[in-house]
């Protein structure tokens, strides 16, 4: 189900660092920066396992230690709870990786 603006606003307030876009009915985007390429790839691998289980896949782009992510739900032409939940998970994984000693 596509989230309404009223539903989306309090959820976005809980996702600092994510930017709302209007393209394709609604997107959220964020850039993650890691210590190095291996850490960025570790992030992507952890997220990929969960995304595959949920059958909800991010649009992402990686160069060295940076991963740019865009989330949207094509089936509803906008944002759904799937996007919010995957964004939360990505934030958790990135936070855990940031806490690791180099």
């Amino acid at each position: 189900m596509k989230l309404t603006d009223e539903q989306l606003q309090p959820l976005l307030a809980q996702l600092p660092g994510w930017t709302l876009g209007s393209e394709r009915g609604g997107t959220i985007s964020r850039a993650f920066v890691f210590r190095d390429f291996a850490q960025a790839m570790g992030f992507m691998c952890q997220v990929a396992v969960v995304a595959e289980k949920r059958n909800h896949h991010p649009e992402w782009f990686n160069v060295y230690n940076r991963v740019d992510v865009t989330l949207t739900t094509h089936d509803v032409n906008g944002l759904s709870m799937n996007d919010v939940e995957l964004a939360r998970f990505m934030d958790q994984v990135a936070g855990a990786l940031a806490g690791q000693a180099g």
Side-chain angles (χ1 to χ4, degrees), residues 55-91:
N55 194 31
H56 190 66
H57 306 95
E59 299 172 17
W60 52 14
F61 179 77
N62 165 246
V63 174
Y64 183 58
N65 68 334
R66 182 181 171 112
V67 180
D68 296 318
V69 178
T70 299
L71 299 174
T72 190
T73 301
H74 302 285
D75 293 345
V76 300
N77 191 35
L79 292 164
S80 71
M81 281 305 297
N82 285 332
D83 302 301
V84 172
E85 290 167 359
L86 191 55
R88 284 179 185 152
F89 178 72
M90 288 179 169
D91 286 347

Side-chain angles (χ1 to χ4, degrees), residues 9-101:
Q9 291 311 314
L11 296 170
L12 288 178
Q14 300 170 11
L15 295 172
W18 290 86
T19 304
L20 179 64
S22 60
E23 59 275 354
R24 291 179 277 147
T27 63
I28 52 175
S29 300
R30 180 171 179 187
F32 293 93
V33 179
F34 298 96
R35 183 176 58 246
D36 54 24
F37 177 74
Q39 196 176 59
M41 189 55 59
F43 167 80
M44 293 177 76
C45 289
Q46 288 183 59
V47 171
V49 170
V50 170
E52 184 65 18
K53 286 180 183 175
R54 293 180 179 189
N55 194 31
H56 190 66
H57 306 95
E59 299 172 17
W60 52 14
F61 179 77
N62 165 246
V63 174
Y64 183 58
N65 68 334
R66 182 181 171 112
V67 180
D68 296 318
V69 178
T70 299
L71 299 174
T72 190
T73 301
H74 302 285
D75 293 345
V76 300
N77 191 35
L79 292 164
S80 71
M81 281 305 297
N82 285 332
D83 302 301
V84 172
E85 290 167 359
L86 191 55
R88 284 179 185 152
F89 178 72
M90 288 179 169
D91 286 347
Q92 290 172 352
V93 172
L97 289 171
Q100 290 181 355

